[in-house]
Amino acid sequence: MILNLAILATIAVALTLLWLPRLRRAEVWRAMVTPLASIIGSGFLVLGPLLNHAYGGWAPVAMGLLCLVAWGFGMAIRDNIRAIETLGAAGPAWAEGTASALLGFAYMISVAYYLNLLGSFAVSLTPFESQLAARAVTTAVYAVILSVGWTRGFAVLERMEYASVALKLAIIAGLVLALAVFTGGKAAEGSLIFAQASETGLAALTLGFGMIVTVQGFETSRYLGREYGAEVRIRSMRWAQIASTLIYLIYIALVTYAFDPANIALSETAIVDMMGVVAPVLPFVLVAAALAAQFSAAVADTGGSGGLIEELSRKRISTRQAYALTVAVGLGLTWAADVFQIIAYASRAFAAYYAAQSAIACVRFWPENKAKAGLYGGLALLGAAIALFGQSIE
């Protein structure tokens, strides 16, 4: 009971702090909200059980490597933002167009990823929990999004973004408190767990490739030029990546050494059952955070995909038609693949976009700055490898 009250009090305090007018008016913080919402959105819900199951006691190392790769791709995109500001373009028009097309396609898959997680969490605490029920919920939400986007646009729904981010961050604060108490108790008892990895070698590497989407989202700063200047977008992306990395590493370390993966049935909603052991209130607040975060992220990426498709088609495809295409692709994935497969597909799609952005930066820096060109060339090859070889967990 005391821990439950402490969790709820922590959430309330965090929400109050995040709603302070002075913070909400801070330009860099406002610019951080969009990338931060994406980076610690869906990934936070699935990464704990997934990394623990795959890498055992080495899960924090795997998490650190994921964040390091994401930081490298973020560097390339930040340099491209700076180039657009100073040179007018990051690279040739055809290269930028190719990168935008890859991002538009990645958004289509990411919407499926978000909404399939939403469906799974929506039924996770009900008597109707099943894959069929989760897919039915996902299909219904797709219908709502298409209906709203087709008739009225997403302006009203997009205003939910700050509220959903604030709620999610507040719940994460409560979750970290609870896990710190739980894991601290295990440490005091001498019962911390260092499980063996279930994936090793090439299988572990390609599985890591398939999880890049869980640290994706920083690239959204690249497309906030109408609202913020280049330096604000660069700083906000950098700080969003630093903040999300710290949150992820603390969370993964606390989960990894407190839970034995052999006793956990791996599923997209495994975190709900795990947190029920920590404190009875946690599953309910996690589901609330999941529903708010997944819906707002899906709306944002549907809007982003629609805008990119319309622009790339030179308005031959309208935004409405682009929304319908995004929904059609998502429904196909919903009924043909499970959530872990969709995570791998989304990772591969975003990796292709990151490879394109890194290649653009590489060409621009060669030969004046061979060190940076070499770094970005390596990242472009890594992104291509992830796009080709990323795998889902079986």
Side-chain angles (χ1 to χ4, degrees):
M1 176 62 74
I2 294 174
L3 182 56
N4 284 336
L5 291 175
I7 292 167
L8 294 175
T10 300
I11 293 171
V13 170
L15 265 177
T16 301
L17 293 174
L18 290 167
W19 222 260
L20 289 174
R22 186 173 179 180
L23 178 62
R24 295 182 66 190
R25 286 195 298 264
E27 188 178 41
V28 173
W29 171 251
R30 291 201 320 271
M32 276 180 63
V33 166
T34 297
L36 194 60
S38 295
I39 298 170
I40 58 171
S42 309
F44 198 86
L45 299 170
V46 298
L47 266 179
L50 186 55
L51 288 175
N52 195 16
H53 180 272
Y55 301 107
W58 298 103
V61 176
M63 185 73 254
L65 290 173
L66 279 172
C67 292
L68 182 63
V69 170
W71 181 264
F73 289 135
M75 284 177 60
I77 294 174
R78 286 192 288 275
D79 272 336
N80 287 344
I81 292 173
R82 194 172 284 111
I84 291 169
E85 180 73 8
T86 57
L87 304 175
W94 66 265
E96 286 280 17
T98 300
S100 294
L102 290 169
L103 182 61
F105 179 65
Y107 277 155
M108 288 184 183
I109 304 177
S110 69
V111 173
Y113 163 41
Y114 295 142
L115 292 187
N116 275 269
L117 272 181
L118 184 151
S120 297
F121 276 89
V123 300
S124 62
L125 297 179
T126 73
F128 311 106
E129 183 178 10
S130 68
Q131 188 178 62
L132 178 62
R135 285 172 168 171
V137 170
T138 298
T139 301
V141 176
Y142 261 121
V144 170
I145 286 178
L146 179 58
S147 175
V148 172
W150 190 278
T151 59
R152 302 181 62 187
F154 293 134
V156 174
L157 296 179
E158 286 172 344
R159 292 172 195 158
M160 296 169 52
E161 183 176 50
Y162 190 84
S164 67
V165 173
L167 176 63
K168 181 165 52 181
L169 290 175
I171 287 174
I172 286 171
L175 173 63
V176 168
L177 169 72
L179 281 172
V181 172
F182 184 75
T183 306
K186 292 268 188 180
E189 297 169 359
S191 57
L192 293 178
I193 298 160
F194 193 101
Q196 294 298 309
S198 64
E199 303 287 347
T200 56
L202 184 60
L205 180 64
T206 55
L207 177 62
F209 285 176
M211 287 191 279
I212 284 294
V213 73
T214 58
V215 289
Q216 162 273 331
F218 49 89
E219 75 287 338
T220 53
S221 296
R222 162 82 168 70
Y223 301 95
L224 297 177
R226 291 181 182 177
E227 290 85 9
Y228 306 102
E231 285 306 314
V232 170
R233 285 181 286 141
I234 289 167
R235 287 172 60 198
S236 67
M237 187 202 296
R238 186 182 293 120
W239 281 108
Q241 286 197 280
I242 291 171
S244 60
T245 296
L246 291 174
I247 291 169
Y248 269 136
L249 290 176
I250 292 168
Y251 162 62
I252 294 299
L254 291 172
V255 167
T256 296
Y257 304 116
F259 293 91
D260 186 347
N263 297 329
I264 299 166
L266 185 64
S267 71
E268 60 269 29
T269 59
I271 189 68
V272 173
D273 295 332
M274 291 169 67
M275 295 306 102
V277 175
V278 177
V281 75
L282 277 179
F284 298 98
V285 296
L286 276 177
V287 168
L291 298 182
Q294 303 313 104
F295 185 75
S296 62
V299 167
D301 279 10
T302 301
S305 178
L308 281 169
I309 292 171
E310 182 185 41
E311 180 182 326
L312 290 165
S313 69
R314 297 180 182 177
K315 298 193 175 180
R316 286 191 291 269
I317 298 175
S318 70
T319 307
R320 288 179 174 182
Q321 291 168 332
Y323 294 157
L325 180 60
T326 298
V327 169
V329 170
L331 287 176
L333 286 169
T334 296
W335 291 95
D338 63 35
V339 173
F340 291 136
Q341 289 173 317
I342 295 172
I343 289 173
Y345 296 152
S347 289
R348 294 168 81 163
F350 277 105
Y353 167 74
Y354 296 146
Q357 288 287 334
S358 299
I360 289 169
C362 171
V363 171
R364 192 177 61 256
F365 279 104
W366 182 268
E368 288 79 9
N369 189 332
K370 292 182 180 179
K372 267 200 169 182
L375 171 63
Y376 293 146
L379 285 166
L381 292 175
L382 177 60
I386 293 170
L388 290 172
F389 302 115
Q391 297 294 320
S392 66
I393 195 161
E394 298 297 334

